[in-house]
Amino acid sequence: MKKQLTLLAALLFALTAAAQIDENKQQLLDYEEDTANVVSLADILKMQQEVYSKNYNRENLQQVWKRKKTFSVSYNTSRLTARKVPFYEAKEDAYNVKSYKFESDWGFSLQSANTFRLHKKPIANTVAFGLEFSPLNLSVNHYKQMPDFAYNSSIVKDASDTKNLIYYSPWGLEMYDISYGMHIGPSITVAPFTALKSKGLAHLRLQAYFALGYRFDIMFRSSDKDKDVNDPDAADTSDPANTDKAAQTAYDKVNSSSLITWAHGLYTQFGFRINWKFIGISYEITKGDWKHKSVETKIFGSQKEKFNATSSRIGLTFFW
C-alpha cells in the first residue's frame, strides 16, 4: 500500500513538474515574441527628432505669417495735370484755359496699414487673402515754378460786382502740395518657399493690393511779385479819376493774398511689397482728381480749378 502511494505521489510530482516546465517555456516564448515590439533607443531619438521638427516648422510658419501691420517711408514722383485752369499768356496779355503738366522735383510720404486676413490659416501655408486698411496716407510734394512764368494781377475775372472784383489766381508759381487720406481694399500675400527645408527663405513674402480711399489736399503757393506784369509804380493815387488806381488795388489784393487752395476727393492706389521678416521694399501708384478752391474767395471767387494727380512711390517698409 505504501509503495502504491509513493508511486502515485511521484507520478503527480512528475506531472506537476512537467506542467511547470511547459508553462515556463510558454512564458519564455511570449517574452521573446514581445521583445520584437520593444522600441529601440534609435527609434526613440528618431521620434523625438520628428516631434521637434514638426514643432519647429509650426513655430517658424507662425513667425512667417504673424506680421500683418506695416509702416512705409517712401520717395514720391508726382505729376499734376491742370485741366480747365486759366494761365496767363504774355503775348496776348490775357488768361486762357489750357492743359499743363506739373512735375514734382521731390516728394515723400508716410503710410501705415493693417491687413485683416479673410481666413484663419493660409492656404497650404503659402497664400493668404486679406482686406487692407490704411488709417494714415500722408504725402508732401514740391513743384517748381513754371518756366517763363508771368501773371497779370490787374486783369479782372468777374466784374459783375464792382465792389468786390474777382481776379485770376496766379497758377504756375512754386507749389507745396500736402495730402492726407485713408483707404481700404483687397490684398493677396504669397510666401512661395514655406515648403522648402530652408527656414530663412520661408520668411520671404510677396504682397499685392488695390485700395479705394478718400483724401484731403492743401496747396501752398509761394508769392513772387516780380512775375506780376502789373506795374504798381504806374499808379497815380493822387488823381481819383486815374484808372491806374484800380491796377494798384488789384496788385495789392492779389499779391497780399495767401494763395492757398484746398480740395478733397476719391483716389485709387495699387501697389506691391516684398519683405523678408520685418523689413521690405514697396512700390505704389496713386491716382485721383482734384477740384481746388481758393481760401480767398473774396479775391479769387468760389470757382474750382480741376487737376488730375498721379504719384508713384518707392519706399522702405517695416513689418510687425
Side-chain angles (χ1 to χ4, degrees), residues 162-224:
T162 56
K163 293 183 179 180
N164 297 295
L165 299 177
I166 302 301
Y167 301 93
Y168 284 96
S169 183
W171 287 103
L173 291 164
E174 179 187 23
M175 295 186 298
Y176 294 87
D177 184 15
I178 303 174
S179 67
Y180 167 78
M182 302 171 68
H183 61 250
I184 189 170
S187 70
I188 179 172
T189 306
V190 180
F193 303 116
T194 53
L196 300 182
K197 293 182 179 181
S198 174
K199 309 305 178 185
L201 280 176
H203 289 270
L204 186 66
R205 301 193 314 177
L206 305 172
Q207 188 176 40
Y209 52 93
F210 176 82
L212 177 67
Y214 204 86
R215 60 184 176 178
F216 295 86
D217 188 79
I218 298 178
M219 281 190 189
F220 299 88
R221 280 172 288 169
S222 300
S223 178
D224 189 353

Side-chain angles (χ1 to χ4, degrees), residues 43-147:
D43 292 333
I44 294 175
L45 293 176
K46 183 179 180 181
M47 285 189 294
Q48 288 180 339
Q49 182 64 31
E50 290 177 354
V51 171
Y52 173 79
S53 180
K54 288 181 180 179
N55 291 336
Y56 181 82
N57 289 338
R58 182 172 61 252
E59 292 175 359
N60 192 58
L61 287 174
Q62 289 176 350
Q63 292 295 319
V64 170
W65 291 104
K66 76 173 185 177
R67 295 180 174 88
K68 301 177 182 179
K69 296 181 180 180
T70 63
F71 181 80
S72 300
V73 180
S74 304
Y75 179 81
N76 304 342
T77 301
S78 302
R79 175 184 295 175
L80 194 64
T81 304
R83 296 171 51 208
K84 298 182 179 179
V85 177
F87 290 89
Y88 178 71
E89 299 286 352
K91 292 181 180 181
E92 302 178 14
D93 192 28
Y95 281 87
N96 296 317
V97 175
K98 70 174 185 178
S99 178
Y100 185 84
K101 294 180 179 179
F102 296 94
E103 302 282 350
S104 68
D105 58 337
W106 61 263
F108 68 89
S109 62
L110 302 175
Q111 182 173 288
S112 65
N114 190 1
T115 301
F116 300 93
R117 195 177 299 156
L118 298 180
H119 43 94
K120 187 176 181 180
K121 294 182 178 180
I123 301 172
N125 292 321
T126 304
V127 180
F129 295 93
L131 193 65
E132 180 172 300
F133 171 68
S134 173
L136 172 66
N137 187 1
L138 179 64
S139 180
V140 179
N141 295 290
H142 176 263
Y143 298 89
K144 291 182 178 180
Q145 186 172 278
M146 289 174 54

